[in-house]
Amino acid sequence: MYGSANVSERQAQPPALAISTVIFALRRDEAAGRDEIWLPLVRRIRQPHLGKWALPGGPLDGRESLQDAAARHLRDTTDLEPTYLEQLYAFGGLDRAAAQRLVSIVYWALVRPDQADLARASENVRWFRASEVDGLAFDHDDIVAYALGRLRGKVEYGAVAYHFLGERFTLTQLRGVYEAVLDRQLDPANFRRQLRSAKDIVPTDEVLQGGRNRPPRLYRYSGDRPETPPVAGNRPGTTSTSTPHASRAR
C-alpha cells in the first residue's frame, strides 16, 4: 500500500511534478476497411493501481526541461521518438494523490504508421484503440478523452493531419486520416473538391505504385509543418481526485 496524508499535511508539502504523454498513431483495420486512432499504454507494475494500464510517463527530473522529460519517458517505455511532441494540458487538482498534491504536465505526440511499427511491444507495453480505452489507472481516461477532443478540433484547421502521413500521400490516404480522427465517414467527392482548392495541398508528378487500378496521384503538404511545436501555456488544473502518474514499464 502507498502512504497517505491528512489535508493539513498535504497542504504543507510542495506539489510534486510528473510527466505523462498521449501518443496517437493511425492503424489500418483491414476487416473494417478503414483507419483508426490507436495509442500505446504501459501496465502498472507497482501500487497504486497495480496491473492497470496507464499512459507512459513518470516523475520530472529537475535537470531537464519538460519537453525533454516527455521525450525521455517515451524512449524509455516505447522506444518512440515522435517528430510531433506538444504540451497539451496541466492537470493539477488538489486531491489527485493520496500522500501529496501532484501536478501532471501532459504532452501529446503524433506518429506515422512506420514510426508506430518501431514501438516496443511487450507484456507491459501494448497498443489499444483510442475509442475503446476505458478503466485506465488514475484519471487517464479523462486525459485520453481530452486529447482526442483536442485532436478533433485541431484537425479541422491546422496541419495536424499531415503528421500521420509521409511526405507524399494520396487524397484517399488523407481522407482516411480525417475519417479516423473525426470518427465518421466523409463524402469522397466533396472532400476531394475541398482539398484541391486548398493552397497548401500541392500535386506532384508522382503516382502511388502497386495498386490494381489506375495509380492515384501523390500530393504533398507545402505549409508549415514544424517538427516540434511551441510549448503551449499551462491551463488551470482539473478537479479529478486521482493522480495521472504512470510508472515506466520496468
Side-chain angles (χ1 to χ4, degrees):
M1 295 297 292
Y2 56 98
S4 61
N6 61 37
V7 174
S8 60
E9 290 174 335
R10 196 162 54 231
Q11 291 175 342
Q13 295 174 338
L17 291 176
I19 300 290
S20 295
T21 305
V22 184
I23 311 161
F24 289 136
L26 212 64
R27 289 192 163 190
R28 186 74 175 174
D29 186 333
E30 297 297 342
R34 54 171 295 189
D35 296 319
E36 294 183 335
I37 301 296
W38 289 62
L39 75 163
L41 299 172
V42 297
R43 193 195 308 270
R44 295 279 303 175
I45 59 173
R46 59 178 62 88
Q47 294 289 2
H49 300 285
L50 176 65
K52 282 193 172 184
W53 294 98
L55 294 169
L60 175 66
D61 190 319
R63 298 166 296 180
E64 59 188 350
S65 70
L66 296 177
Q67 189 149 309
D68 287 344
R72 174 177 60 82
H73 285 305
L74 286 185
R75 288 194 303 270
D76 290 349
T77 55
T78 67
D79 286 339
L80 284 172
E81 296 189 36
T83 56
Y84 186 98
L85 181 62
E86 181 182 9
Q87 190 178 129
L88 176 68
Y89 203 94
F91 289 76
L94 295 176
D95 301 316
R96 303 176 69 242
Q100 183 181 13
R101 182 182 179 186
L102 182 64
V103 176
S104 182
I105 310 300
V106 179
Y107 277 76
W108 66 328
L110 309 179
V111 296
R112 301 188 306 268
D114 60 315
Q115 294 174 314
D117 289 340
L118 300 177
R120 182 192 312 164
S122 68
E123 180 183 357
N124 293 321
V125 180
R126 190 180 302 172
W127 285 84
F128 293 81
R129 286 183 176 86
S131 61
E132 297 178 356
V133 165
D134 184 49
L136 301 184
F138 308 111
D139 60 351
H140 291 189
D141 286 345
D142 295 335
I143 294 176
V144 172
Y146 180 86
L148 278 172
R150 177 67 70 86
L151 178 63
R152 288 165 182 156
K154 293 192 72 168
V155 78
E156 297 281 9
Y157 63 86
V160 166
Y162 305 98
H163 288 280
F164 289 110
L165 300 165
E167 293 299 321
R168 301 289 188 272
F169 52 85
T170 68
L171 294 186
T172 298
Q173 290 171 335
L174 181 58
R175 176 165 55 85
V177 173
Y178 277 82
E179 290 181 338
V181 171
L182 299 174
D183 196 24
R184 58 184 172 87
Q185 290 188 323
L186 302 175
D187 180 74
N190 288 339
F191 184 83
R192 184 176 295 268
R193 185 163 48 250
Q194 292 173 4
L195 284 182
R196 280 181 169 168
S197 63
K199 63 179 181 179
D200 291 334
I201 308 298
V202 180
T204 71
D205 295 330
E206 304 171 61
V207 295
L208 181 65
Q209 302 292 344
R212 296 180 179 179
N213 302 316
R214 179 181 177 182
R217 181 182 295 275
L218 291 172
Y219 291 74
R220 65 181 179 86
Y221 178 68
S222 63
D224 184 22
R225 179 161 48 171
E227 291 194 351
T228 304
V231 174
N234 290 356
R235 297 181 176 175
T238 67
T239 58
S240 173
T241 59
S242 56
T243 167
H245 179 82
S247 65
R248 288 174 285 179
R250 60 180 179 85

